[in-house]
């Protein structure tokens, strides 16, 4: 299965391939494409082993972040429904993320339940996949950017 959430083109879509080599009436071409995986439970179960988080380790930068004030890490290869519970090394739950959409992604803004940035360190993400009856645990290593607080 492809490692992305592919949307099939509309029926009747025409693709044109332009080449400098002339085609003749006797030339024949055949194309195949992977089958759609939407709604395929067996394929979704196969994706569980591919679930990961990036960037990992997070070194105060993610090229996909909007700006440096909104850091994120992204979980991928997730099914429609997932509950991601994030814990620190002491086993304290830091954040719960609930995913319920058709994308394969869920982002964590590196904040705790109170909306404060988490400290640098190692975190565990326990991912529960209720539709599939499966679970997965990932380690996430976070190095936060140094911040200078004017008031505290």
């Amino acid at each position: 299965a492809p490692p992305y959430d592919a949307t099939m083109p509309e029926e009747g879509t025409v693709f044109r391939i332009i080449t400098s080599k002339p085609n003749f009436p006797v030339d024949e071409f055949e194309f195949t494409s992977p089958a759609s995986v939407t709604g395929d439970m067996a394929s979704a179960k196969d994706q569980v082993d591919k679930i990961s988080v990036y960037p990992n380790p997070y070194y105060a930068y993610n090229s996909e972040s909007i700006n440096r004030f909104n850091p994120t890490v992204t979980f991928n290869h997730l099914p429609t429904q997932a509950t991601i519970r994030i814990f620190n090394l002491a086993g304290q739950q830091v954040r719960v993320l609930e995913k319920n959409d058709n994308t394969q992604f869920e982002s964590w803004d590196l904040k705790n339940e109170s909306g404060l940035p988490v400290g640098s360190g190692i975190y565990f993400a326990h991912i529960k996949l209720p539709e599939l009856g499966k679970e997965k645990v990932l380690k996430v290593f976070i190095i936060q950017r140094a911040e200078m607080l004017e008031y505290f």
Side-chain angles (χ1 to χ4, degrees), residues 73-88:
V73 294
T74 303
F75 296 88
N76 62 0
H77 293 287
L78 296 168
T80 303
Q81 292 182 343
T83 300
I84 303 169
R85 295 173 42 209
I86 300 167
F87 298 89
N88 62 18

Side-chain angles (χ1 to χ4, degrees), residues 7 12 14 17 24 34 36-38 42-43 48-49 51 75 87 91-93 113 121 123 131 137 145 147:
T7 302
V14 176
I17 300 174
F24 298 100
S36 175
V37 295
T38 54
S43 177
V48 172
D49 291 336
I51 292 174
F75 296 88
F87 298 89
Q92 299 164 320
Q93 184 171 292
E113 292 292 347
Y123 293 86
E131 291 177 314
V137 176
R145 177 183 305 274
E147 292 188 30

Side-chain angles (χ1 to χ4, degrees), residues 12-19 23 31:
T13 300
V14 176
F15 292 92
R16 297 189 197 297
I17 300 174
I18 300 171
T19 177
N23 295 323
F31 298 94

Side-chain angles (χ1 to χ4, degrees), residues 33 50 68:
S33 63
K50 296 179 181 178
R68 69 184 184 106

Side-chain angles (χ1 to χ4, degrees), residues 51-138:
I51 292 174
S52 63
V53 60
Y54 67 91
N56 191 18
Y58 173 86
Y59 287 117
Y61 176 75
N62 178 352
S63 61
E64 294 185 10
S65 289
I66 297 169
N67 61 48
R68 69 184 184 106
F69 301 109
N70 295 312
T72 61
V73 294
T74 303
F75 296 88
N76 62 0
H77 293 287
L78 296 168
T80 303
Q81 292 182 343
T83 300
I84 303 169
R85 295 173 42 209
I86 300 167
F87 298 89
N88 62 18
L89 278 178
Q92 299 164 320
Q93 184 171 292
V94 173
R95 183 78 182 268
V96 177
L97 304 171
E98 293 287 345
K99 179 191 176 300
N100 190 12
D101 59 31
N102 289 326
T103 70
Q104 64 163 318
F105 305 105
E106 183 66 27
S107 293
W108 175 32
D109 59 6
L110 304 182
K111 293 181 181 175
N112 63 20
E113 292 292 347
S114 299
L116 299 171
V118 298
S120 297
I122 299 173
Y123 293 86
F124 293 97
H126 177 267
I127 304 169
K128 187 172 183 177
L129 311 165
E131 291 177 314
L132 307 177
K134 295 193 174 249
E135 298 178 356
K136 182 157 186 168
V137 176
L138 298 173

